Amino acid sequence: MDAATLGAVGTIVVGLAAAAAAIIGQRGANRASQSGAVLGGYSTLVDNLQEERDKLARQLSENEVKLAAAYAELASERADKAALQGRITSLTAENERLRERIVELGGQPT
């Protein structure tokens, strides 16, 4: 082989090596780009999940306040009911006593 042929073959080999290096470099860049996109997507997902978690925590807190108010109202109503039941019992006993007294005095109970 003469020098011209060797030079041409050398140029072709160098060109192929450069092309292979460029392809490998491009693949690495693509992987890095995809990795960046994945990390960016992951970051957005984490942010969205944290926002949703915070929103649900606020809603839970509001519901706990409402629940405590409902329990307080129920306790108040139960206390009122117990007071009314006591008043009913007292009035019933007083009515019985009054009926007995009417009978003792010679009257007819109503």
Side-chain angles (χ1 to χ4, degrees), residues 7-58:
V9 170
T11 304
I12 292 172
V13 170
V14 169
L16 290 174
I23 290 172
I24 291 171
Q26 184 62 34
R27 285 185 181 172
N30 286 344
R31 284 189 192 124
S33 174
Q34 288 173 351
S35 176
V38 168
L39 291 177
Y42 177 76
S43 176
T44 301
L45 177 63
V46 168
D47 290 344
N48 290 343
L49 291 174
Q50 287 174 343
E51 288 176 17
E52 185 176 352
R53 181 196 61 209
D54 293 343
K55 178 183 172 186
L56 293 175
R58 283 190 302 274

